[in-house]
Amino acid sequence: MSASDPTTARQARQLTKKLAAELSGKQRGPDREVRRHSFDEEKPEAKPWRPIGDGTRDGALGWIDCMLEVARDFDDLERRKGGGRPLGANGLAVLEILLGRRGRKRIPIDFKTGRLFPAIDTIAEAANLCRVTVVRALARLRAHGFLRWVRRSRKTGKDGEFGPQREQTSNAYYFDPGALPKTVRQRLLQLWDRKLAAIGKRYGAPPPTPDSPPQPAYSPLRKALSEMRSSFDNASLPSSPAIPAQG
């Protein structure tokens, strides 16, 4: 490899900068490309996902239908009260895209784990919206509890070089029913109860007694319903950043 090779020249410049910084007593500070409150993508904090519904295909699709229904109802109700639409058409569209219900290019979501980490540009392409509009839509969804996210970063693979060691990567998005307004999450629980009962019938659920409501037929559905009720009882305000800045 000759001295005129671009790679060699670049490495030489990086080494020169590194040595000059060391001689002057300077140390590299935090990577400017990484936003605050970002977690390494391999850390548990960067993997906040939870199963969609009960994690099964039928259960997840049923939960998604319920979530979208309460989102539309919430938007309509707030408008009828005399205000604007808190989510708006773009907010609802982005929510549908993240839940895999629409989009020119479907964004994959793992029902079993809830893994969901599309880049903002990917969401914008699927929604046929500009990036700024998507960022605003995401912020609206988060402000009203319909979406949460965690910022993530990753290594650049330039260990030993004088340059950024980390870079921003896509956010990890997840859904926390406990963050929804009280009336919205109560409505979601009602719809989810009915949906699980309907799914349970297809799996041979025993008929309910006069003193008990319909119950899901098999343990995964019972567990999903119990966990959702628990999340409502322990509802907390979102703590993730308000603006979904990422690459």
Side-chain angles (χ1 to χ4, degrees), residues 108-128:
I109 178 172
D110 188 324
F111 294 155
K112 186 175 181 179
T113 65
R115 283 170 58 89
L116 181 65
F117 49 94
I120 290 180
D121 288 339
T122 301
I123 301 172
E125 180 183 0
N128 196 26

Side-chain angles (χ1 to χ4, degrees), residues 16-35:
T16 301
K17 289 181 180 179
K18 181 179 180 180
L19 292 174
E22 290 176 351
L23 289 172
S24 63
K26 294 181 179 179
Q27 295 182 348
R28 266 183 33 82
D31 291 321
R32 288 176 293 179
E33 299 299 323
V34 176
R35 299 294 298 269

Side-chain angles (χ1 to χ4, degrees), residues 54 196 206 215-227 229:
D54 65 341
L196 288 181
Q215 293 294 320
Y218 60 117
S219 58
L221 292 179
R222 291 196 183 97
K223 181 180 178 183
L225 184 56
S226 175
E227 289 177 349
R229 286 193 173 117

Side-chain angles (χ1 to χ4, degrees), residues 58 62 191-205 214-218 221:
D58 286 348
L191 294 176
W192 183 226
D193 261 322
R194 296 174 189 171
K195 186 70 69 172
L196 288 181
I199 294 173
K201 288 180 180 179
R202 296 205 296 270
Y203 287 87
Q215 293 294 320
Y218 60 117
L221 292 179

Side-chain angles (χ1 to χ4, degrees), residues 48-241:
W49 303 295
R50 56 198 67 183
I52 304 299
D54 65 341
T56 66
R57 181 181 182 278
D58 286 348
L61 293 176
W63 186 90
I64 288 171
D65 287 342
C66 295
M67 187 66 155
L68 292 175
E69 182 173 342
V70 297
R72 297 187 192 103
D73 289 347
F74 170 73
D75 210 45
D76 289 339
L77 179 61
E78 292 301 310
R79 184 185 183 187
R80 289 198 296 270
K81 289 180 179 179
R85 291 185 178 275
L87 303 180
N90 292 332
L92 292 172
V94 168
L95 182 61
E96 290 181 16
I97 286 168
L98 290 174
L99 289 171
R101 281 307 205 192
R102 66 178 292 180
R104 296 192 303 175
K105 180 180 180 182
R106 294 299 176 93
I107 292 175
I109 178 172
D110 188 324
F111 294 155
K112 186 175 181 179
T113 65
R115 283 170 58 89
L116 181 65
F117 49 94
I120 290 180
D121 288 339
T122 301
I123 301 172
E125 180 183 0
N128 196 26
L129 297 170
C130 71
R131 181 186 175 92
V132 172
T133 300
V134 169
V135 169
R136 290 172 179 168
L138 291 171
R140 285 187 173 194
L141 290 170
R142 179 191 177 276
H144 297 286
F146 287 91
L147 181 68
R148 301 184 76 175
W149 62 76
V150 171
R151 287 176 178 163
R152 305 186 305 157
S153 66
R154 63 187 176 191
K155 295 180 179 179
T156 60
K158 298 179 180 179
D159 295 346
E161 298 181 14
F162 189 77
Q165 301 297 298
R166 307 197 66 80
E167 62 185 359
Q168 202 74 36
T169 187
S170 61
N171 297 325
Y173 296 96
Y174 65 105
F175 305 94
D176 178 11
L180 293 167
K182 183 177 180 179
T183 55
V184 176
R185 63 177 183 261
Q186 288 176 339
R187 176 60 175 161
L188 177 60
L189 181 57
Q190 291 174 350
L191 294 176
W192 183 226
D193 261 322
R194 296 174 189 171
K195 186 70 69 172
L196 288 181
I199 294 173
K201 288 180 180 179
R202 296 205 296 270
Y203 287 87
T209 64
D211 299 326
S212 64
Q215 293 294 320
Y218 60 117
S219 58
L221 292 179
R222 291 196 183 97
K223 181 180 178 183
L225 184 56
S226 175
E227 289 177 349
M228 178 172 282
R229 286 193 173 117
S230 177
S231 71
F232 291 165
D233 294 338
N234 299 291
S236 60
L237 293 176
S239 58
S240 50

